């Protein structure tokens, strides 16, 4: 058991969160409140009924709920409030900098325009910096099981606001939607000056990690735990200094592993791969970033090991070197 002093020490570690979907911070209470405020009909009327939907069997069963609840987000103020609620929690967990995914295609599909979404999220970031001293930025996330044409379209819509973005990423169903589908979208993103990250090896194979490196020029791999299945892929991540943004509680809740001890984090670290700890969709997976660090402490990671992972999260961020040094100092 992690005692109170360890819990406090882990939360006090300065850290960066690099794998966080802002829509995945939509707590069920806020979802119902926004549904009522915005006149959105959901199939569940009570909190208890909604909470019963959170027993996921796999990635897809989670995604079905995640996309359905996003329909309650309608105004720039909703996005601002969602962002602020996350930043308050993250700051309490020692997060000093967050690189945050958002899913514009889904919001466009719900009838919103890109400016409403981005203005709200950026206002939340501005207020979060002011109120909680936490910095951060946005990564435009492409939904990989929508048509590739939709990805191209949303990137062109976002192009005039590229300066408001840190990077581009991917999310949603992995198997059957290989990174190669998005090679030209990522070429365009690089032309716009965006950093490139990509999930691979969450439910998909180690070969998707290789594709994400070769074809998308991913600078970080999100999840990536299946890279450990292939020694050549593991070696490449180490040699090319490509960090992984791992999400232990997500992996357990989505049944990527049954027990956190089955995650190959130590194996990857010992092979020289930079591993970072993140919360992915904390409102859905049973805990924010602090709870993810605690979960690793519970399976035997020491304070010093977790302190090293927290420092690595800052190094693996896209912050300028001087800002990294300031946070690490
Ligand atoms: N995996 C894939 N897509 C996602 C996730 C995830 O854990 N969270 C939000 N979109």
């Amino acid at each position: 058991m992690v005692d109170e002093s360890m819990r406090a020490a882990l939360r006090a570690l300065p850290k960066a969160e690099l794998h966080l979907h802002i829509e995945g911070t939509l707590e069920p209470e806020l979802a119902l409140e926004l549904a009522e405020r915005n006149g959105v009909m959901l199939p569940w009327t009570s909190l208890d009924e909604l909470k019963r939907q959170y027993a996921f069997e796999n990635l897809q069963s989670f995604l079905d709920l995640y996309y359905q609840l996003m329909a309650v987000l309608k105004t720039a103020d909703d996005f601002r409030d969602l962002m602020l609620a996350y930043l308050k929690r993250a700051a309490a967990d020692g997060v000093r900098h967050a690189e945050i995914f958002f899913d514009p295609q889904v919001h466009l599909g719900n009838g919103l325009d890109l400016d409403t979404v981005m203005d709200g999220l950026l206002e939340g970031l501005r207020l979060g910096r002011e109120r909680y001293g936490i910095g951060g930025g946005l990564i435009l996330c492409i939904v990989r099981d929508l048509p590739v044409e939709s990805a191209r379209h949303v990137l062109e819509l976002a192009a005039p606001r590229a300066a408001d973005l840190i990077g581009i990423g991917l999310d949603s169903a992995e198997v059957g939607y290989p990174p190669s589908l998005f090679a030209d979208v990522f070429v365009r993103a690089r032309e716009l000056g965006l950093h490139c990250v990509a999930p691979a090896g969450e439910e998909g194979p180690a070969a998707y990690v290789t594709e994400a490196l070769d074809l998308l020029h991913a600078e970080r791999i999100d999840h990536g735990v299946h890279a450990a299945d292939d020694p050549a892929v593991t070696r490449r991540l180490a040699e090319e200094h490509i960090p992984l943004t791992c999400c232990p509680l997500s992996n357990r809740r989505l049944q990527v592993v049954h027990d956190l001890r089955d995650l190959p984090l130590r194996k990857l670290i010992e092979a020289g791969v930079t591993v970072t700890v993140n919360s992915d969709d904390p409102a859905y997976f049973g805990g924010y970033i602090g709870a993810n660090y605690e979960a690793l402490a519970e399976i035997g990671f020491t304070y010093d090991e977790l302190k090293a992972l927290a420092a690595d999260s800052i190094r693996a961020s896209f912050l300028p070197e001087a800002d990294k040094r300031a946070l690490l100092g």
Side-chain angles (χ1 to χ4, degrees), residues 19 21 23-24 59 62-63 66-67 70 101 103 141 144 170-174 199 202 223 247 250-251 254 280-281 285:
H19 185 159
H21 300 267
E23 297 88 350
L59 176 59
F62 150 70
L63 290 170
Y66 170 79
Y67 290 126
M70 272 190 222
F101 293 120
D103 274 340
C141 216
R144 60 204 295 170
L170 290 179
D171 72 356
S172 207
E174 181 182 7
E202 179 187 20
H223 291 295
C247 307
S250 162
N251 292 158
L254 297 184
D280 202 359
D281 301 282
F285 299 153

